[in-house]
Amino acid sequence: MTRRFSRWPLGAALVGAVAIPALAAGLSGAPAPFDKGGVKLALVSYISAGDFFEAYQSGAEAQAKALGVDLRVFPGKQDATEERDQIEQAVNLGVKGIVIDHGLPESLKDVAQKALESGVKIVAFDVNLDNPKIPQVEQSDHQLARLALEQAIKDNGEKFKAAYVYVAGFAPLDRRDEVWTEFKKKYPGIEEVARFGAVNATTAATVDDQAKAALRAHPEITVVFAPYDEFARGVKLAVNELGLAGKVKVYSADVSTADIREITEKDSPWVATVATNPAVVGAVSIRAAAIAVAGGDPGKEIIVEPTLLTQEALKTAGVTTIEELSAKVPAFGRSGAAKAAWIPE
Ligand code: SR1
């Protein structure tokens, strides 16, 4: 069972808690409190729009359903204050665990610590809350960036002029940025001539405009490292609008069915992405929270490994959807992270 909450006053949250029916049966063979049913968890997100975050949430919901958990979903609107409030609301609703999905660490650390002190277990996905009691789920962002950039070098050699799409302050983007910095040092022939980026309600459209300006100002750019699929979509739009397909290649992170379509369409400049299945990452996050609530240890760093997906490989394999990808690449379709015998998938 999943319920969605938007911003509401604390009183309303408490009224909502009274109105929530406990789930009937528990999970047989599960440790307390899952043996009795009615366990509430919350998913509090900073961003909910876009393919990655929608799939992440649906994976979390599916795993919660399999666990018989009453999952409260607090959608994200890129609003740090609202995300703080939502964590407090979730605690007031009596949830036993909260998955905090992205966000700005400085606005979350103290409310997360307060939630822990009140006995609520916290798991963080892609936000570093700098707290040894908070397990961190991530997609091995260093490896992700490394695979994308190694492919860029394989395709373009060790000397090229690049544009880079980046917004500081988001843990996955910061980790990918560390690898970009490392690569530029290792390969001095790679020259970053333009840098831009935005994370907002219309990321791809904003990045499209920024990329057009950068590509017009720097016609020498042949490679764009855009390690977030919304970034890559924006850059692809710009490349196509400027008639630069065939000259500029885009390397990204993340994948969705819509992304596969964009990557494999005729003359697409988006030539490679490195990705996990976001639904699997959502499921892993809920499993980690459930293990913590049951008194277990899900581990400090819970990693879901990404896979390199080149345009060529996708075309050769005839993959057109995420489901087909999961069937063809088993490592993409599931993860062994945060598992327990009592947790059904
Ligand atoms: C704004 S951060 C965007 C990234 O978060 C997740 O880690 C996805 O991989 C996406 O690229």
Side-chain angles (χ1 to χ4, degrees):
M1 178 191 292
T2 308
R3 288 159 204 273
R4 282 176 186 75
F5 297 86
S6 52
R7 190 168 205 155
W8 57 356
L10 193 57
L14 293 171
V15 171
V18 174
I20 291 158
L23 292 185
L27 263 186
S28 107
F34 296 93
D35 54 340
K36 299 272 186 316
V39 179
K40 288 180 224 153
L41 299 180
L43 169 62
V44 178
S45 298
Y46 182 76
I47 307 173
S48 290
D51 289 356
F52 181 92
F53 294 101
E54 284 165 20
Y56 175 85
Q57 184 181 312
S58 56
E61 288 173 343
Q63 182 64 72
K65 191 169 174 210
L67 270 161
V69 155
D70 182 355
L71 182 68
R72 310 305 173 93
V73 175
F74 293 83
K77 295 176 200 130
Q78 300 84 232
D79 181 334
T81 310
E82 180 157 358
E83 193 178 17
R84 276 179 72 80
D85 290 354
Q86 290 172 332
I87 292 169
E88 285 172 343
Q89 287 172 28
V91 172
N92 287 322
L93 283 167
V95 302
K96 297 251 183 281
I98 304 175
V99 174
I100 302 179
D101 158 29
H102 288 72
L104 307 181
E106 292 319 316
S107 67
L108 299 172
K109 284 179 183 172
D110 61 333
V111 275
Q113 176 58 29
K114 248 172 80 187
L116 285 171
E117 283 162 12
S118 69
V120 175
K121 301 293 183 190
I122 307 277
V123 168
F125 167 49
D126 270 357
V127 55
N128 182 6
L129 299 176
D130 217 2
N131 189 320
K133 296 224 163 67
I134 301 182
Q136 165 81 50
V137 178
E138 69 147 290
Q139 304 172 85
S140 195
D141 293 289
H142 288 140
Q143 173 69 353
L144 183 155
R146 211 163 279 133
L147 288 171
L149 291 169
E150 276 164 3
Q151 186 63 34
I153 286 170
K154 195 169 165 202
D155 295 346
N156 303 280
E158 295 181 9
K159 193 170 162 29
F160 52 78
K161 305 256 195 272
Y164 173 46
V165 194
Y166 174 54
V167 175
F170 292 94
L173 303 185
D174 291 345
R175 288 189 286 258
R176 295 166 197 174
D177 180 62
E178 285 163 12
V179 176
W180 173 239
T181 305
E182 181 190 301
F183 262 68
K184 283 186 297 177
K185 269 204 198 105
K186 186 169 170 195
Y187 300 100
I190 299 177
E191 194 185 336
E192 179 189 318
V193 296
R195 176 183 290 221
F196 50 88
V199 174
N200 58 29
T202 54
T203 297
T206 309
V207 169
D208 172 16
D209 290 339
Q210 295 173 329
K212 271 192 296 231
L215 290 166
R216 280 195 187 108
H218 296 281
E220 70 275 24
I221 291 171
T222 54
V223 168
V224 183
F225 182 41
Y228 172 18
D229 63 347
E230 299 298 324
F231 292 167
R233 282 179 183 194
V235 176
K236 174 179 173 267
L237 279 170
V239 170
N240 286 343
E241 283 165 47
L242 297 179
L244 294 173
K247 182 182 169 223
V248 177
K249 292 190 174 74
V250 183
Y251 298 82
S252 82
D254 309 318
V255 76
S256 66
T257 293
D259 292 345
I260 294 173
R261 204 178 314 122
E262 293 211 36
I263 293 169
T264 55
E265 76 188 23
K266 192 171 173 312
D267 298 329
S268 174
W270 191 349
V271 294
T273 192
V274 183
T276 63
N277 181 339
V280 170
V281 185
V284 165
S285 304
I286 292 295
R287 294 206 297 266
I291 291 170
V293 166
D297 178 8
K300 180 77 192 87
E301 280 170 6
I302 301 155
I303 309 281
V304 183
E305 294 295 342
T307 305
L308 169 71
L309 304 165
T310 62
Q311 183 185 82
E312 197 189 344
L314 289 170
K315 281 184 174 169
T316 307
V319 166
T320 60
T321 64
I322 284 285
E323 290 72 27
E324 289 172 10
L325 192 54
S326 299
K328 292 219 163 135
V329 186
F332 182 83
R334 62 184 60 90
S335 163
K339 281 200 151 186
W342 57 274
I343 299 184
E345 284 186 59

